[in-house]
Amino acid sequence: KNKWIILTLLAIIAIVNIITVLLILILEKRQMIGIVKALGGNNATLMTLFMAMSARILLVGMALGNGLALLLCFIQKRFGILKLDETNYYLSTVPIHLNVPFILFINALLIFISVICMVVPAWIISGIQVVKVLRFK
């Protein structure tokens, strides 16, 4: 039960972070959005562009996070750096068990949820007015 609570909290944090990154990206690229709209680009094109940019950020972050986590797990499994009090735990080191299907499931679930949440900031693009963006250049 604790595992699912922790994983849910981590997923919520990841989703909030990806939405924040997208909103910052939209604010930084306002003039580009205005220029693309002025040249005839539609909202669907801009949404696709921002979804691709955010997917790249998400995948790089997940790759780095998974790589670091697997490296730390390997180090613990191989060298047993984290020690335990044997009188209380009956073990001398923290045991590591990697469940690859579970790790893949969590990654796939996080990608799915994050892609759904990427749509929200992408909708903000449709509300950007060309005149206001290009006037205050």
Side-chain angles (χ1 to χ4, degrees):
K1 197 172 187 180
N2 290 340
K3 174 175 61 174
W4 288 107
I5 292 171
I6 291 170
L7 290 174
T8 303
L9 288 173
L10 288 174
I12 290 170
I13 290 169
I15 290 167
V16 168
N17 283 334
I18 196 71
I19 288 174
T20 304
V21 167
L22 282 176
L23 290 175
I24 291 170
L25 194 63
I26 289 170
L27 286 174
E28 287 181 356
K29 302 289 184 180
R30 264 189 343 210
Q31 290 180 350
M32 182 200 70
I33 293 168
I35 291 170
V36 169
K37 281 188 171 186
L39 293 173
N42 58 9
N43 291 331
T45 304
L46 286 168
M47 284 180 69
T48 304
L49 176 69
F50 275 88
M51 292 285 285
M53 291 168 67
S54 59
R56 183 175 150 242
I57 293 169
L58 174 72
L59 293 176
V60 168
M62 286 185 67
L64 290 173
N66 282 323
L68 180 64
L70 291 174
L71 177 67
L72 292 175
C73 287
F74 172 75
I75 290 171
Q76 174 61 25
K77 193 169 191 173
R78 178 84 168 121
F79 301 108
I81 293 174
L82 298 175
K83 305 288 185 194
L84 295 173
D85 183 18
E86 288 187 54
T87 58
N88 292 330
Y89 296 103
Y90 305 111
L91 295 170
S92 60
T93 62
V94 175
I96 296 290
H97 171 71
L98 294 177
N99 187 351
V100 177
F102 183 71
I103 293 171
L104 293 175
F105 169 74
I106 293 299
N107 282 317
L109 182 66
L110 187 59
I111 288 172
F112 175 73
I113 292 171
S114 296
V115 167
I116 289 173
C117 291
M118 285 180 209
V119 174
V120 174
W123 279 336
I124 294 173
I125 296 170
S126 63
I128 294 177
Q129 297 175 358
V130 178
V131 175
K132 287 183 179 178
V133 171
L134 294 179
R135 183 184 311 159
F136 298 109
K137 188 172 180 184

